[in-house]
């Protein structure tokens, strides 16, 4: 595809073209992704104007995670729910910021998908202009699955069929997979569209970069500490931004490994399964990398039992994940 063609291939037309390759595809994804794309343009705007519009700072209360809610967390959450709420094929929305799912319509009334999202990831970095983002997962609800939206979303018959994130960095980057490779789009503000910049993105097999909050090292299980000692002795460099979306994006592009382990004070780790670890794992695997929650435990094989469940995360270049896994299995 020539450069000019590529840069005029919008997210919408790309997904529609991709769906045409699947007989019986109903345009469901493009309908949902266009809502996420619209929401992300609005959120990116708010993030960039945060200091001008004075929407920085916290709300003064905590969310279901027991974490300080930033004003922009709440605003981003409202924007996404408003954009997705009008999509007739969505049954339920699950947000990091809401204790329970937002039910839109039953399976019988056409609610065939749930969209799970972290409306604003890395929001503690907002006031220092460091990359933050939105992470999302599209789950096809199992046919004929009964019970509450929570039961339906957690039912093994329901499965993640698409995942992505939008990174509000020096540019707004939309990275998405619908199970057929990972594709990257950048918001061209001059035309107001996300345009294709990279098809079938592949994560480098290896790169001596690890990304972990080493301040907690004394609280990591021994296997992680042994890995870090090995990495220090083998010429690794450390890169840690503190926004998962920015750390994973760098890992996807440059290779290396992103790690958020369990600690003595957080025995399940910090990152949430459904709308952080699960979508990012699908992207990393679709790009040829690996994502584990422990030695010999593929993260996507773990079945979550609750909506806001947390899980340890080791994801990135397959060789780099293997290096960590070696020490975890000796632990
Ligand atoms: P969120 O802003 O959605 O709560 O997520 C923050 C997460 C994730 O973005 C990042 O990887 C991690 O918190 C950083 O945690 P530490 O500050 O403990 O390193
Ligand atoms: Mn987050
Ligand atoms: Mn968040």
């Amino acid at each position: 595809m020539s450069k000019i063609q590529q840069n005029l291939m919008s997210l919408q037309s790309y997904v529609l073209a991709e769906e045409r390759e699947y007989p019986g595809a109903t345009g469901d994804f493009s309908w949902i992704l266009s809502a996420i794309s619209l929401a992300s343009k609005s959120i990116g705007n708010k993030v960039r104007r945060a200091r001008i519009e004075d929407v920085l700072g916290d709300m003064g209360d905590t969310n279901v995670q027991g974490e300080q809610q930033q004003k922009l967390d709440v605003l981003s959450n409202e924007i996404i729910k408003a954009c997705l709420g009008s999509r007739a094929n969505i049954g339920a929305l699950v947000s990091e910021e809401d204790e329970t799912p937002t039910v839109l319509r039953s399976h019988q009334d056409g609610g065939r998908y749930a969209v799970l999202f972290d409306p604003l990831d890395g929001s503690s970095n907002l006031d220092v202009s460091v990359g933050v983002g939105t992470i999302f997962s599209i789950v096809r609800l199992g046919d004929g699955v009964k019970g509450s939206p929570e039961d339906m979303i957690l039912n093994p018959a329901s499965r993640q069929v698409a995942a992505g994130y939008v990174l509000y960095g020096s540019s707004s980057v939309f990275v998405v997979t619908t199970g057929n490779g990972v594709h990257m789009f950048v918001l061209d503000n001059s035309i107001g569209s996300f345009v294709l910049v990279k098809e079938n993105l592949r994560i480098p097999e290896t790169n001596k970069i690890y990304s972990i909050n080493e301040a907690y090292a004394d609280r990591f299980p021994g296997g992680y500490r042994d890995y870090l000692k090995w990495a220090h002795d083998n010429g690794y460099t450390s890169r840690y931004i503190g926004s998962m979306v920015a750390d994973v994006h760098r890992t996807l592009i440059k290779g290396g490994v992103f790690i958020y382990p369990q600690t003595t004070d957080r025995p399940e780790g910090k990152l949430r399964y459904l709308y952080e670890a699960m979508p990012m794992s699908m992207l990393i695997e679709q790009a040829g990398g690996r994502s584990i929650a422990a030695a010999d435990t593929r993260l996507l094989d773990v079945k979550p039992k609750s909506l806001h469940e947390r899980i340890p995360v080791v994801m990135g270049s397959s060789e780099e994940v293997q290096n960590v896994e070696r020490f975890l299995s000796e632990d």
Side-chain angles (χ1 to χ4, degrees), residues 144-153 155:
V145 168
K146 298 260 179 289
S148 71
E150 181 156 350
D151 299 339
M152 292 177 69
I153 289 159
N155 186 301

Side-chain angles (χ1 to χ4, degrees), residues 100-144:
T100 54
T102 302
V103 184
L104 298 174
R105 57 188 62 74
S106 71
H107 204 260
Q108 291 70 18
D109 293 342
R112 289 207 305 278
Y113 295 90
V115 182
L116 324 174
F117 52 87
D118 177 353
L120 202 58
D121 174 69
S123 48
S124 61
N125 280 315
L126 267 173
D127 48 354
V128 293
S129 293
V130 167
V132 295
T134 298
I135 310 171
F136 64 89
S137 169
I138 302 176
V139 168
R140 186 179 169 82
L141 298 172
D143 293 331

Side-chain angles (χ1 to χ4, degrees), residues 63 67 73 96-97 118-123 133 272 276:
N63 60 10
E67 288 160 352
D73 282 327
E96 176 189 79
E97 300 304 331
D118 177 353
L120 202 58
D121 174 69
S123 48
R272 280 62 48 134
E276 289 175 318

Side-chain angles (χ1 to χ4, degrees), residues 67 96 118 120-124 213 216 240 242-245 258 260 270-272 276:
E67 288 160 352
E96 176 189 79
D118 177 353
L120 202 58
D121 174 69
S123 48
S124 61
N213 189 335
Y216 309 148
Y240 192 71
S243 294
M244 181 186 198
V245 67
F258 171 73
Y260 204 110
K270 175 182 183 181
L271 298 177
R272 280 62 48 134
E276 289 175 318

